[in-house]
Amino acid sequence: MRNTNNRLARTIARSALILTSATAVAFSLTACGGTGSSDTNGGKTVTVYSVDGLGDWYKPVFEKFKAQTGITVNEVEAGSGEVVSRVEKEQSNPQADLLVTLPPFMQKADKSGLLQASGVDTGAVAAADKDANGKWVSLAGNYLCFIANPSVDATKVTWDDLLKPDYKGKLQYSTPGQAGDGTAVLVLLQQLMGKQGALDYLGKLQANNVGPSSSTGKLQAKVDKGEILVANGDVQMNLQSVKDGSKFNVFFPAAADGKKSTVSLPYLMGVTKGAPHTDAAKKLMEFLLSADVQKSLPDTFAIPARTDLANAPATGSGPSPAATIKDVTVLHPDWTTVLDNLDADVAAYTKATGS
């Protein structure tokens, strides 16, 4: 799905649902056919609603799963908030079997009663990376980052630099509360500056911000083309895009003292409540958490969720996630607390930025 010849389609994947008529809603991108409503494999089908980013990894993994089990994976991609929104809208007629999204949207799905305990053995995953009640578990590790057009010396960019007039109309970040990466920007700034400090900063940054965006991935093409100079993103998605031919650099804005920080932003997965193919979903979860499959995650710039593979080397080319975050402090927010305060925080953000 993510390749040099089709970067535009790839990056649109984090966008909102497109209204195709007054009564029909479709996702912006599907990976393996269908939107979750069809079953053309005699019942041997499992439907995954996923935030984008792992498309290159999914394709061969899902083909291997089908070869081993006879079960076809129908995968649909959209923004991290959008996949949860669709599961919620379809409660009376569930279509998704497995949900993959970012925090705090997985926690939101759990709180909204959209998940069921999978019963899958998650013993190889650290306790901090899974729900104590078995509703969700980390699939792969990832981190918030920023990207800059090659015309910018990203190695020297600070948070204060981004407030300079040089970036007026040349900077954009995805919207907190809608996009997982955008929410992570707000969370990181809260961790670094406190809640009011984060609001004050983002209020000032708004003078340079192009405007809201529900799609983080879509910003990649804009930075690549030089339409904007700086945008937010995440390490896994951005490094994969660079490997596919995008021209931008991954960086982490520094504080006044030179220290760089980021937040852990893992891909989380869980079985949906009322899943039409629960058994197939559980088999797929077990498969995705198996050591053999997890070993291939570094090749797509993601980090295995299994503790016994935390330092698994990549066999492909390009910088590793570990090398990318070297000398960067990784913060681990309490995403449940983030979710509890999210509505109020987004409302305060909207007021502070006038967006």
Side-chain angles (χ1 to χ4, degrees), residues 77-249:
E77 296 186 353
S80 48
E82 293 300 328
V83 288
V84 174
S85 177
R86 179 163 180 175
V87 171
E88 186 171 26
K89 291 175 181 177
E90 295 174 347
Q91 286 185 84
S92 61
N93 183 29
Q95 302 295 307
D97 299 299
L98 193 66
L99 175 66
V100 179
T101 192
L102 306 180
F105 297 99
M106 184 61 86
Q107 288 80 1
K108 180 180 180 180
D110 186 13
K111 187 176 182 179
S112 300
L114 304 180
L115 304 174
Q116 60 174 300
S118 69
V120 170
D121 181 4
T122 60
V125 180
D129 297 326
K130 59 189 176 185
D131 174 50
N133 296 314
K135 299 288 187 66
W136 54 262
V137 63
S138 177
L139 169 61
N142 196 12
Y143 309 96
L144 171 71
C145 67
F146 282 74
I147 56 175
N149 183 269
S151 63
V152 176
D153 184 358
T155 62
K156 299 180 179 179
V157 175
T158 67
W159 288 106
D160 288 341
D161 287 337
L162 297 179
L163 299 177
K164 294 179 178 179
D166 310 51
Y167 293 99
K168 186 174 179 61
K170 291 294 183 178
L171 177 150
Q172 193 171 16
Y173 62 94
S174 52
T175 307
Q178 295 183 32
D181 296 322
T183 303
V185 170
L186 177 60
V187 171
L188 175 59
L189 290 172
Q190 288 175 338
Q191 298 276 321
L192 297 177
M193 306 175 184
K195 287 199 173 185
Q196 189 57 51
L199 293 176
D200 293 342
Y201 176 83
L202 290 170
K204 296 175 183 177
L205 188 65
Q206 194 64 15
N208 292 341
N209 188 20
V210 171
S213 173
S214 61
S215 166
T216 309
K218 189 175 181 179
L219 303 182
Q220 295 183 121
K222 299 176 74 171
V223 176
D224 176 43
K225 296 176 182 177
E227 294 176 14
I228 58 177
L229 297 178
V230 172
N232 70 315
D234 64 67
V235 169
Q236 187 277 323
M237 176 181 69
N238 293 150
L239 290 183
Q240 182 66 57
S241 188
V242 169
K243 180 180 179 181
D244 290 342
S246 292
K247 295 179 178 61
F248 51 68
N249 297 311

